Amino acid sequence: ATATAGKFNSQSAGMVLWALVVMGALHEEGVADLIESFSSRVLELRGQLGQKEKSQLQQLFLSYELDLVSGMPLPTGVARVKQELGAECWQAFSGQETHESEFQLEVAAVLRRVVGSELEIEEEYRDARSGYSIDVLVRRRSAAGSTEWAVEVDGPSHFLYDSRTPSGSTLLKRKQLGQLGYTVVPVPFWEWAPLRDGEAKRRYLEDKLGGDEKQ
């Protein structure tokens, strides 16, 4: 693939780099040349990059920021891409429109009955460091600091077709939110759907928050 990077269009070149992020393969032996070649290809096609490709590149930059030991330099090619396109990629990623589904609205409404006076809740919270939008942020403040849960309401589009296997983008978001310090609480649609009434849903979310808090 390194020798033929010049044959890839903007979408495919960006997808190769993003796939390495999802697979956690950025630091694997033998991929350095691949990253350099496709980083150069992305710069060659910078005028053809769409919002999706720019958003994927922002996740690439974030992965290096979160994964690398403090002080380690970015690979040369990635550093060039970030220098020339970083602002555009951040804007594309952090500016993505969000759409609250009925499922998400229902989960948020039940959470408000769970959280109590000592907890705060915020829907579609935008993380300032990464640009990620969190479906529902739940925060507990105390003298010792604060605990933050990133509640992710995962409908069918967050999984591979007709399965319960999370998609690459879902897995990456969960991983990076965890690296950013959030306790990630997925609420998959197949666990929510069988809950028949508000009390069952409230107990489910209490267990989710309580269980994750103790981990």
Side-chain angles (χ1 to χ4, degrees):
T2 302
T4 59
K7 298 180 180 180
F8 282 66
N9 62 26
S10 59
Q11 182 178 12
S12 299
M15 182 62 73
V16 169
L17 293 172
W18 184 78
L20 293 173
V21 176
V22 173
M23 293 186 297
L26 291 177
H27 313 296
E28 294 293 326
E29 184 177 354
V31 303
D33 289 343
L34 189 70
I35 292 170
E36 291 298 312
S37 296
F38 281 91
S39 294
S40 296
R41 183 58 175 163
V42 162
L43 283 177
E44 290 173 7
L45 301 173
R46 58 183 300 168
Q48 300 175 28
L49 295 173
Q51 296 297 95
K52 179 179 179 181
E53 290 78 46
K54 291 176 182 178
S55 293
Q56 290 174 333
L57 288 172
Q58 169 60 25
Q59 290 177 302
L60 170 71
F61 305 149
L62 181 62
S63 183
Y64 277 110
E65 178 185 338
L66 296 172
D67 291 347
L68 288 180
V69 176
S70 179
M72 288 184 65
L74 285 172
T76 303
V78 176
R80 287 201 318 271
V81 175
K82 185 174 184 180
Q83 180 179 3
E84 297 188 29
L85 300 176
E88 294 177 38
C89 294
W90 167 265
Q91 185 175 10
F93 186 68
S94 63
Q96 293 180 95
E97 291 187 7
T98 58
H99 302 282
E100 293 178 281
S101 66
E102 290 186 12
F103 178 20
Q104 182 176 331
L105 290 171
E106 183 182 18
V107 170
V110 176
L111 272 170
R112 288 192 178 90
R113 301 202 298 271
V114 170
V115 294
S117 59
E118 79 282 9
L119 298 178
E120 305 166 7
I121 180 171
E122 185 172 345
E123 296 178 58
E124 295 299 344
Y125 174 82
R126 185 71 65 178
D127 177 72
R129 179 179 175 185
S130 67
Y132 270 115
S133 175
I134 295 172
D135 289 345
V136 187
L137 178 74
V138 179
R139 181 186 292 116
R140 170 180 284 133
R141 300 185 189 276
S142 68
S146 63
T147 301
E148 294 181 321
W149 293 268
V151 179
E152 286 296 298
V153 182
D154 294 337
S157 64
H158 292 262
F159 302 88
L160 300 182
Y161 178 73
D162 198 26
S163 79
R164 296 183 177 182
T165 302
S167 65
S169 58
T170 298
L171 288 173
L172 181 58
K173 184 177 184 181
R174 291 178 183 177
K175 175 186 175 182
Q176 292 188 328
L177 287 178
Q179 290 175 308
L180 287 161
Y182 296 98
T183 298
V184 181
V185 181
V187 180
F189 68 96
W190 70 81
E191 290 184 356
W192 188 260
L195 302 175
R196 296 188 175 184
D197 55 42
E199 181 61 22
K201 294 170 182 177
R202 184 185 64 79
R203 287 198 303 269
Y204 169 86
L205 290 174
E206 284 182 342
D207 288 343
K208 278 277 187 178
L209 294 178
D212 285 305
E213 183 183 7
K214 295 171 185 175
Q215 289 178 1

